[in-house]
Amino acid sequence: MKCVKFSYDLSMSAITFDILVFLSQCEEERIKNDAEGIIINFVGGRRKMSWRDQEITNDQHAWRLRYLLPEIAKLLPSVVQVNLVGEGDPQIFPYVLFPARYAPILHSPSYAASLIPDFGDYITMTVRQSWFHAMRDTNIEIWREVLNTLTTAGRKIIVVPDTEATMQGQLCYVYSPRLYTPAAFSLPLRMALYEKAKLNLFTSGGPMMLGAYSNINAESFNLVVNGVSVCTPGHLTKVGLPDGCRAQNSVYHWSGEKDFVLTTIQKRLVELDRSSNGTSKQTRVS
């Protein structure tokens, strides 16, 4: 198998879902080189650029290096191997705005879908509940009311809790009778859960980026957050996230206001219901 190798330098790069931009560029290079596989080398080191870089503990960094970055990389089917190496030449790509121009490239591994319980027709809500930029967290009051309204209307809600908050023993503060914790600790299960859902709901946080590089149906809200430099209208526009932009089947909204959130979700569900009913009718006719 012809493979191309790329190095992700941890002394210069984020240990977050931002790696998706890097992976999308690796995939483009693979196609250009007519290769079948990708090998990712994570070059040891720690970035010290931001306040978060300074505050994250060595143990938190080690956990992300072993259980987050490699698992995100493996959602790209062409990635055949990931390695942690002491040194290497970092792969420098020209900066590309997010969402990038690429076709859907992320998929859960085939085994993961069979492990997801039969939830029927469901919606996911992914909660952000973090020590970092807590002002970006999922708003409890707004989302409790939104989810209660959807549940009363007969919608089945599956909540994915925040990974690090759950590890620290915190209860998920957005209540749902259906809390699927395994997805918080397994990227294959998370992706499979999102792929099988009718609609996936996010607020400002890393997992929302999965929608820009896959075929999942998603709506992300509250991208503009006061007091956070990377969540200002100017910055979001600069990096390619203007209000209401669409990437694949995911739509990104600056507002997190309750009435807007609920109306937007209800409208999207009507569209998805119509599409699903149309597909069902076509299947019966054929």
Side-chain angles (χ1 to χ4, degrees):
M1 174 187 288
K2 179 182 178 180
C3 294
V4 284
K5 295 182 180 180
F6 301 97
S7 296
Y8 191 75
D9 189 348
L10 295 164
S11 68
M12 300 189 300
S13 306
I15 50 171
T16 68
F17 281 86
D18 289 349
I19 192 178
L20 287 170
V21 178
F22 170 83
L23 292 173
S24 64
Q25 294 174 292
C26 292
E27 178 69 356
E28 185 173 71
E29 290 299 310
R30 177 192 70 82
I31 294 170
K32 287 180 181 178
N33 286 277
D34 196 28
E36 298 175 77
I38 292 173
I39 296 173
I40 302 290
N41 289 327
F42 291 103
V43 182
R46 277 200 60 169
R47 192 179 72 166
K48 297 289 185 179
M49 293 173 57
S50 69
W51 175 78
R52 185 180 194 176
D53 293 338
Q54 302 289 338
E55 291 297 317
I56 193 170
T57 68
N58 288 334
D59 289 339
Q60 289 171 327
H61 187 276
W63 187 89
R64 283 174 169 260
L65 178 55
R66 286 161 177 77
Y67 299 108
L68 181 65
L69 297 189
E71 296 305 308
I72 294 175
K74 291 174 186 176
L75 293 178
L76 182 58
S78 56
V79 170
V80 297
Q81 185 177 333
V82 295
N83 306 302
L84 177 60
V85 299
E87 59 183 23
D89 296 325
Q91 190 70 35
I92 306 298
F93 290 118
Y95 184 71
V96 176
L97 298 182
F98 168 81
R101 59 190 178 275
Y102 313 100
I105 58 174
L106 302 180
H107 303 281
S108 64
S110 57
Y111 69 82
S114 66
L115 299 176
I116 300 298
D118 183 10
F119 290 123
D121 199 33
Y122 65 91
I123 301 167
T124 73
M125 170 60 210
T126 297
V127 175
R128 187 187 193 278
Q129 187 175 333
S130 178
W131 60 272
F132 175 69
H133 283 168
M135 63 283 284
R136 293 170 55 197
D137 284 357
T138 305
N139 185 289
I140 306 174
E141 288 73 21
I142 289 176
W143 281 95
R144 279 178 179 168
E145 189 165 343
V146 168
L147 297 186
N148 284 339
T149 300
L150 294 173
T151 301
T152 301
R155 301 291 182 176
K156 191 179 298 182
I157 308 296
I158 309 297
V159 169
V160 179
D162 183 273
T163 302
E164 291 180 344
T166 303
M167 281 195 293
Q168 293 165 3
Q170 300 177 28
L171 295 177
C172 181
Y173 57 43
V174 177
Y175 173 77
S176 171
R178 296 179 179 87
L179 190 73
Y180 194 59
T181 303
F185 293 95
S186 167
L187 263 296
L189 291 181
R190 181 189 291 269
M191 197 69 204
L193 183 74
Y194 292 162
E195 288 171 340
K196 296 178 74 172
K198 177 181 285 291
L199 181 62
N200 300 281
L201 306 175
F202 301 94
T203 52
S204 177
M208 75 176 187
M209 293 182 68
L210 293 171
Y213 300 100
S214 71
N215 276 322
I216 68 172
N217 296 317
E219 299 278 342
S220 298
F221 300 94
N222 200 38
L223 270 64
V224 169
V225 181
N226 291 331
V228 181
S229 61
V230 296
C231 296
T232 63
H235 180 82
L236 291 170
T237 300
K238 179 180 177 181
V239 300
L241 282 173
D243 190 20
C245 75
R246 189 181 189 101
Q248 318 307 341
N249 297 319
S250 295
V251 185
Y252 296 87
H253 306 282
W254 289 359
S255 174
E257 193 270 333
K258 182 190 67 178
D259 290 340
F260 172 78
V261 169
L262 187 56
T263 300
T264 301
I265 293 171
Q266 291 171 329
K267 181 180 178 181
R268 182 71 182 272
L269 286 171
V270 169
E271 294 172 356
L272 292 171
D273 287 340
R274 286 175 179 168
S275 176
S276 178
N277 291 337
T279 301
S280 298
K281 290 178 182 178
Q282 290 177 6
T283 302
R284 287 196 295 271
V285 170
S286 59

